[in-house]
């Protein structure tokens, strides 16, 4: 080896510093090429360009923007944008609900009342930023002078953030968006909704159960909608020992806005006492 660290061939010629020759038997330590932390061996060694070259060379195909390593940077950027936008949010409640609720439906009116009541306590509301129940909650909070936050998601069948979002962030990836729902809230309220709401309900419960997040309540708002599910959780899951008393106690079923806000305020008080 020369003093500059590059390998020399038998005739003194310097070889590629990124290609390390085998020492001993080939099957014990085959030749390899290193690209930063990545190690390439055997048939994977054929790529001749370097990372810097691919960065600086503007020519060639653009397929690289759709590769998994590039997606990692997009994901990282979404986390950075979300954390930066929401870092100074005060006490907040995340409210889930259907995007399909029409404005003349009672559930829309309930969403507006809930958003307004939460804003009246100095609480920010966080929704998925879409239409329907999400819009209703954002509207109620915004019109009451509260902080109305919407975390949108790129979908083929929904149109951007609703007009009552005061602070909005759009996401490509569901899991990034879900992190923001959880990280900046001290309570969850689930209004009637479909698969998305069910997913968010049970993911929230799982995170609390497994202590991935600080314990906080999950309010199921709307007895006529949620009663059947609540009964099944209690009479089947709990009765068969799949969940315990503590897990069942995470759920609070109500029809009353004041009752839901009371549960949220108790969660804030408990959170403040431990932080």
């Amino acid at each position: 080896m020369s003093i500059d660290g590059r390998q020399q061939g038998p005739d003194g010629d310097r070889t590629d510093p990124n290609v390390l020759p085998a020492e001993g038997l080939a099957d014990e330590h085959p030749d390899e090429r290193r690209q930063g932390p990545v190690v390439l061996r055997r048939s994977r060694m054929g790529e001749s360009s370097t990372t810097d070259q691919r960065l600086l060379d503007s020519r060639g195909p653009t397929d690289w923007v759709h590769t998994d390593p590039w997606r990692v940077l997009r994901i990282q950027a979404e986390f950075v944008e979300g954390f930066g936008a929401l870092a100074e949010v005060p006490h907040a409640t995340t409210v889930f609900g259907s995007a399909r609720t029409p404005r003349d439906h009672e559930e829309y009116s309930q969403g507006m009342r809930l958003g307004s009541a939460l804003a009246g306590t100095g609480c920010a509301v966080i929704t998925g930023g879409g239409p329907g129940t999400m819009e209703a909650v954002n509207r109620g909070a915004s019109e009451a002078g509260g902080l109305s936050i919407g975390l949108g998601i790129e979908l083929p069948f929904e149109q951007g953030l609703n007009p009552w979002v005061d602070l909005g962030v759009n996401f490509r990836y569901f899991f990034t968006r879900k992190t923001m729902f959880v990280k900046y809230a001290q309570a969850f309220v689930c209004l009637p909704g479909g698969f998305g709401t069910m997913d968010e309900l049970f993911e929230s419960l799982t995170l609390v159960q497994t202590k991935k997040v600080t314990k906080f309540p999950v309010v199921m708002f709307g007895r006529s909608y949620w009663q059947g599910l609540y009964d099944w959780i209690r009479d089947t899951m709990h009765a068969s020992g799949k969940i315990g008393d503590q897990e069942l106690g995470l759920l609070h079923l109500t029809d009353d806005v004041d009752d839901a806000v009371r549960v949220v305020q108790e969660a804030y008080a408990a959170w403040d006492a431990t932080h």
Side-chain angles (χ1 to χ4, degrees):
M1 177 175 292
S2 70
I3 58 173
D4 65 4
R6 291 200 278 182
Q7 300 289 335
Q8 290 187 339
D11 299 323
D13 56 318
R14 290 177 179 176
T15 59
D16 190 330
N18 291 318
V19 178
L20 304 183
E23 295 181 5
L25 298 176
D27 59 350
E28 292 180 356
H29 196 292
D31 288 350
E32 61 186 36
R33 174 183 291 274
R34 293 180 181 173
Q35 294 180 339
V38 178
V39 176
L40 304 175
R41 291 174 176 167
R42 301 182 182 89
S43 62
R44 305 297 303 198
M45 291 176 57
E47 186 171 347
S48 59
S49 64
T50 66
T51 303
D52 279 340
Q53 179 185 348
R54 292 192 297 275
L55 172 66
L56 299 173
D57 190 349
S58 61
R59 297 167 296 174
T62 60
D63 294 347
W64 57 273
V65 301
H66 304 295
T67 62
D68 286 343
W70 182 250
R71 290 190 181 101
V72 170
L73 296 180
R74 286 186 183 147
I75 293 166
Q76 182 184 47
E78 289 203 347
F79 278 114
V80 171
E81 290 292 343
F83 291 154
L86 302 175
E88 298 181 356
V89 168
H91 283 161
T93 297
T94 293
V95 184
F96 301 122
S98 175
R100 303 186 183 189
T101 305
R103 289 178 177 173
D104 59 356
H105 198 283
E106 174 60 21
E107 291 171 3
Y108 189 95
S109 298
Q110 290 175 331
M112 285 191 63
R113 291 197 296 271
L114 178 63
S116 177
L118 290 170
T121 68
C123 166
V125 299
I126 302 174
T127 79
T133 304
M134 294 177 282
E135 176 187 287
V137 174
N138 286 132
R139 180 177 179 178
S142 182
E143 291 182 348
L147 178 55
S148 173
I149 301 170
L151 306 181
I153 186 71
E154 182 181 68
L155 293 175
F157 47 80
E158 288 185 14
Q159 298 179 351
L161 298 173
N162 70 67
W164 283 278
V165 168
D166 301 322
L167 171 61
V169 184
N170 275 305
F171 294 91
R172 284 188 176 95
Y173 301 101
F174 269 115
F175 55 85
T176 315
R177 179 184 184 231
K178 285 180 177 180
T179 299
M180 305 304 156
F181 279 144
V182 173
K183 180 173 175 57
Y184 295 101
Q186 287 78 47
F188 288 149
V189 179
C190 293
L191 279 72
F195 286 159
T197 302
M198 295 283 282
D199 172 56
E200 290 150 346
L201 166 65
F202 282 104
E203 179 161 6
S204 303
L205 290 170
T206 301
L207 291 171
V208 178
Q209 178 196 42
T210 56
K211 302 186 185 302
K212 296 297 184 181
V213 295
T214 305
K215 178 181 176 180
F216 51 77
V218 179
V219 178
M220 303 169 77
F221 191 94
R223 285 185 179 274
S224 62
Y225 190 86
W226 293 114
Q227 189 70 58
L229 176 61
Y230 182 86
D231 290 346
W232 181 82
I233 292 172
R234 181 191 61 202
D235 299 337
T236 301
M237 294 180 73
H238 181 259
S240 63
K242 303 300 187 294
I243 61 172
D245 294 341
Q246 186 175 10
E247 286 85 6
L248 184 62
L250 295 173
L251 287 168
H252 185 85
L253 183 62
T254 186
D255 269 328
D256 185 72
V257 169
D258 291 337
D259 186 39
V261 172
R262 175 189 60 79
V263 173
V264 168
Q265 287 183 303
E266 289 176 355
Y268 291 160
W271 191 90
D272 284 338
T274 58
H275 289 76

